[in-house]
Amino acid sequence: MSTNTLSKEAETKLIAFFNDRVDPNAIAKALRQVNFTLAFGIMSNIEILQSETAQLGNSFYWLNELAEILDPYLEVE
């Protein structure tokens, strides 16, 4: 896990992005769709994805973490 903190500029830009340009729930849904497509592609033995399996696994994890922050889905009881 990283201990880096966002710069104030990055924080301001992210807040503006989610307040003015896109709905956080829509981004969370898009992240989950991308993750599904990546996972399906790897399981389907699509050659180009197979060569990137390790990196995609890491990306899958962090995209899912971001989706959960934006719109908790897996943590809903």
Side-chain angles (χ1 to χ4, degrees):
M1 168 159 277
S2 175
T3 58
N4 296 335
T5 57
L6 287 174
S7 69
K8 287 296 178 186
E9 180 183 3
E11 186 178 338
T12 301
K13 287 181 178 181
L14 281 170
I15 290 169
F17 179 75
F18 287 115
N19 285 338
D20 303 333
R21 298 183 65 194
V22 68
D23 175 37
N25 292 348
I27 289 294
K29 182 178 179 179
L31 291 171
R32 289 184 178 105
Q33 288 173 329
V34 166
N35 273 351
F36 171 80
T37 302
L38 288 174
F40 185 75
I42 290 170
M43 290 185 299
S44 300
N45 293 318
I46 295 175
E47 187 175 328
I48 193 153
L49 294 177
Q50 290 297 319
S51 66
E52 300 293 330
T53 301
Q55 179 60 36
L56 290 174
N58 192 37
S59 298
F60 180 89
Y61 174 81
W62 289 113
L63 288 173
N64 192 61
E65 288 292 304
L66 180 57
E68 284 299 299
I69 289 167
L70 297 172
D71 179 30
Y73 178 79
L74 298 176
E75 296 175 3
V76 175
E77 294 182 19

